[in-house]
């Protein structure tokens, strides 16, 4: 008989604590999105380095100064383990590069340290001044033989 009031008290404490759990933080404005993206991304080897090239669309000169970095997604597959045509590519981590060259609507980036043999897949997002990230590009594929 005494368990019923204790049970109700515990249930009441739990019910009152549920809406108040969670981290409280000051309000913030959402990040500004960037609608500039890299189109027709290609990967080539130039002077021993992988170079990524493409076109920035939609091209608006006033927004080109807002680009502060490029977020590059990269994954390496071995020829016997490459994904099928049209299968989604599972990119791992990304690297942000501030050494991006954008002149007019052309995108150019040197991607160091990937001279390993295999099939390299790349995708790029442009990053704005307030860390807003634009849409992801199409995949660029580069095959490196031994």
């Amino acid at each position: 008989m005494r368990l019923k009031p204790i049970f109700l008290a515990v249930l009441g404490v739990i019910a009152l604590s549920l809406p108040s759990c969670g981290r409280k933080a000051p309000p913030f404005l959402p990040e500004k999105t960037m609608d500039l993206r890299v189109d027709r991304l290609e990967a080539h080897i130039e002077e021993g380095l992988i170079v990524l090239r493409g076109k920035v669309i939609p091209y608006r000169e006033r927004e080109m100064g807002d680009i502060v970095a490029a977020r590059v997604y990269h994954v390496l597959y071995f020829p016997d383990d490459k994904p099928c045509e049209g299968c989604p590519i599972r990119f791992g981590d990304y690297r942000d590069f501030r050494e991006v060259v954008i002149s007019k609507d052309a995108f150019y980036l040197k991607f160091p340290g990937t001279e390993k043999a295999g099939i390299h897949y790349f995708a790029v997002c442009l990053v704005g001044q307030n860390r807003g990230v634009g849409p992801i590009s199409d995949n660029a594929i580069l095959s490196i033989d031994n």
Side-chain angles (χ1 to χ4, degrees), residues 2-23:
R2 291 185 124 189
L3 292 175
K4 188 175 183 181
I6 295 173
F7 175 73
L8 290 176
V10 170
L11 187 63
V13 169
I14 292 173
L16 291 175
S17 66
L18 285 178
S20 64
C21 58
R23 182 174 170 225

Side-chain angles (χ1 to χ4, degrees), residues 36-44 46 50-57 59 64 67-73 95 97-111 122-127 137-138 140:
L36 300 175
R37 74 185 282 273
V38 177
D39 190 37
R40 294 180 277 183
L41 184 67
E42 297 176 352
H44 303 282
E46 293 179 9
I50 294 178
V51 173
L52 303 175
R53 294 177 188 261
K55 297 285 184 191
V56 178
I57 60 169
Y59 172 69
M64 290 298 157
I67 299 171
V68 295
R71 181 165 291 172
V72 179
Y73 296 89
R95 289 171 56 187
F97 290 89
R98 295 197 176 273
E99 308 84 33
V100 180
V101 177
I102 297 178
S103 59
K104 292 264 183 182
D105 63 344
F107 171 84
Y108 179 87
L109 173 87
K110 290 182 180 179
F111 192 84
F122 297 93
V124 174
C125 295
L126 298 175
V127 180
S137 69
D138 294 333

